Amino acid sequence: MERRNIEQRYAIKFCVKLGESAKEIFDKIVKVFGDEAMSRAQVFRWHKEFKNGREGVEDEPRSGRAVEVRAYNNVQRVRALVRQDRRLTIRMLSDELNINRETVRKILIEDLSMKKLCAKMVPKNLPEEQKHVRMTVAQDCLEQLENDPKLLERVVTGDETRPKKARMSKSKVKTMMICFFDSNGLVHKEFLSPGQTVNQQFYIEVLERLRKRIIRVRPEIANTWILHHDNAPCHRTFSVTQFLTSKNITVLPQPPYSPDMSPCDFFLFPRIKQVVKGTHFDSVKDIQTSVTRVFQELPVNDFQKSYENWKKRRTQCVAA
């Protein structure tokens, strides 16, 4: 058990004896321990335990069989959540699933054999089958470029990300952004409303707005543009595929587990986060204003270089 958890449980027990509420205790725990603070659910649970007369702060012993079942369930829950959003941090997973952070870390590393790469959870070593698919997709793209050297000029790539957290007095307010760009610069961006998730229905609505935006700002490719996005579950649903087909929008495949071959991951998102890193924001609006300014200041030449780099990365993948 982590020493920090023991310290916090003693603190909770002390505050309970003083008659403080669970919310008051949680606010104090966050204020004192910061990023290492227990989740709200854990604080409330221990508050209830101590209020009901519990004295010990250690975890109660569990039978071997029960631990195995619970551990298996936790592994499946972590796996499902990471597949849904590969940019979740260990802390976010811990808070969402109400599992100790150290347990989440061990599940990711030891049970799921994952590590963090380019802000995404991916396998440490791709199996031979996935390596072959990765190389095949890259090779197919290079062959298309040989037949159509101007193909990348029609490709619009996009993805979702969390640019920054705004640290408020009582909580961390998060904002998510989805954006699309081509070799000539930003085409479309939008910030999600609080609580909005990127599911298949919402993504279809975004794609429709993107389609209309391209007609206005890129009329020369309005009928020939090609979409590139990663293999997130909401991107690969039948309804999204059906929508793209109905609008005659071709999709440029993305190799599996290859953020190094996605311009959003190796170019745009790192540039945004590099600028806002270390900056304290008081509100989501301040984050959005700052990110928008970054977009406005990025020269077109940088977007063009990222597309050239994109082609080089695929060439290197095939050569390797």
Side-chain angles (χ1 to χ4, degrees):
M1 183 187 303
E2 292 179 317
R3 180 183 172 187
R4 282 289 186 183
N5 278 359
I6 293 293
E7 293 177 356
Q8 292 176 56
R9 291 176 190 177
Y10 275 119
I12 294 170
K13 180 180 178 181
F14 178 77
C15 291
V16 168
K17 290 185 179 294
L18 292 177
E20 297 183 3
S21 68
K23 184 180 182 306
E24 290 173 332
I25 296 173
F26 175 68
D27 291 342
K28 289 182 178 180
I29 290 291
V30 172
K31 184 176 181 180
V32 173
F33 292 93
D35 291 340
E36 295 185 353
M38 295 168 62
S39 69
R40 181 186 178 90
Q42 290 174 319
V43 172
F44 274 59
R45 179 172 67 83
W46 281 98
H47 175 274
K48 183 178 179 180
E49 292 278 350
F50 292 133
K51 193 172 182 181
N52 290 337
R54 178 168 178 166
E55 291 297 328
V57 295
E58 301 286 340
D59 287 320
E60 295 179 353
R62 304 170 183 174
S63 64
R65 182 58 181 170
V67 170
E68 290 178 1
V69 173
R70 278 193 292 271
Y72 175 79
N73 289 339
N74 286 340
V75 170
Q76 300 309 310
R77 292 167 65 201
V78 171
R79 187 200 304 273
L81 210 55
V82 170
R83 283 182 174 177
Q84 183 179 350
D85 187 350
R86 288 163 290 173
R87 295 182 182 84
L88 291 174
T89 64
I90 290 177
R91 180 182 177 83
M92 294 163 72
L93 288 167
S94 174
D95 291 343
E96 181 71 20
L97 300 174
N98 194 23
I99 302 175
N100 181 276
R101 285 197 294 275
E102 180 62 14
T103 301
V104 173
R105 187 188 70 80
K106 288 183 178 180
I107 288 175
L108 290 169
I109 296 175
E110 299 176 7
D111 296 314
L112 300 180
S113 297
M114 291 184 173
K115 67 176 180 179
K116 203 161 189 179
L117 179 65
C118 292
K120 292 188 178 183
M121 286 296 183
V122 298
K124 288 182 179 179
N125 296 305
L126 292 179
E128 289 302 320
E129 181 181 354
Q130 290 182 342
K131 287 182 180 179
H132 178 71
V133 173
R134 172 180 157 94
M135 185 191 71
T136 301
V137 172
Q139 193 168 26
D140 288 344
C141 179
L142 292 176
E143 290 177 357
Q144 292 182 55
L145 284 171
E146 287 183 6
N147 297 327
D148 183 3
K150 295 186 177 182
L151 182 140
L152 287 182
E153 296 178 8
R154 306 197 310 274
V155 175
V156 176
T157 183
D159 202 355
E160 311 91 33
T161 188
R162 289 188 176 91
K164 180 77 174 179
K165 291 180 181 177
R167 295 187 178 271
M168 308 295 285
S169 57
K170 293 186 178 180
S171 63
K172 292 179 181 178
V173 180
K174 295 171 285 189
T175 182
M176 179 172 277
M177 172 190 71
I178 183 168
C179 64
F180 297 87
F181 65 94
D182 63 5
S183 59
N184 292 315
L186 185 68
V187 176
H188 176 70
K189 71 165 175 45
E190 52 185 89
F191 295 95
L192 278 62
S193 303
Q196 174 66 60
T197 58
V198 184
N199 53 35
Q200 54 184 309
Q201 183 56 47
F202 178 77
Y203 192 58
I204 290 174
E205 295 171 2
V206 171
L207 290 175
E208 176 60 17
R209 290 192 285 272
L210 170 65
R211 187 182 69 86
K212 293 179 179 179
R213 175 73 175 170
I214 289 176
I215 293 175
R216 293 197 302 272
V217 303
R218 299 287 193 273
E220 66 278 8
I221 63 170
N223 298 318
T224 60
W225 70 282
I226 300 170
L227 173 66
H228 171 264
H229 53 196
D230 65 16
N231 300 306
C234 66
H235 298 171
R236 297 183 288 107
T237 60
F238 176 76
S239 58
V240 170
T241 302
Q242 193 175 41
F243 169 80
L244 294 172
T245 302
S246 68
K247 301 299 180 181
N248 295 318
I249 300 173
T250 303
V251 175
L252 185 69
Q254 165 68 11
Y257 304 106
S258 302
D260 59 312
M261 285 196 282
S262 173
C264 284
D265 289 311
F266 71 72
F267 160 64
L268 187 60
F269 293 162
R271 289 287 293 272
I272 294 173
K273 294 177 180 180
Q274 183 180 11
V275 173
V276 302
K277 182 178 180 181
T279 303
H280 176 85
F281 296 99
D282 295 322
S283 67
V284 171
K285 185 176 180 181
D286 289 342
I287 298 176
Q288 295 175 354
T289 301
S290 179
V291 171
T292 300
R293 188 181 303 115
V294 174
F295 280 130
Q296 293 172 343
E297 295 175 354
L298 276 175
V300 174
N301 188 48
D302 284 2
F303 288 95
Q304 293 173 344
K305 287 182 178 179
S306 74
Y307 267 56
E308 294 172 3
N309 190 10
W310 191 10
K311 181 180 178 181
K312 290 180 182 178
R313 286 168 179 255
R314 290 180 180 256
T315 302
Q316 291 170 352
C317 174
V318 174

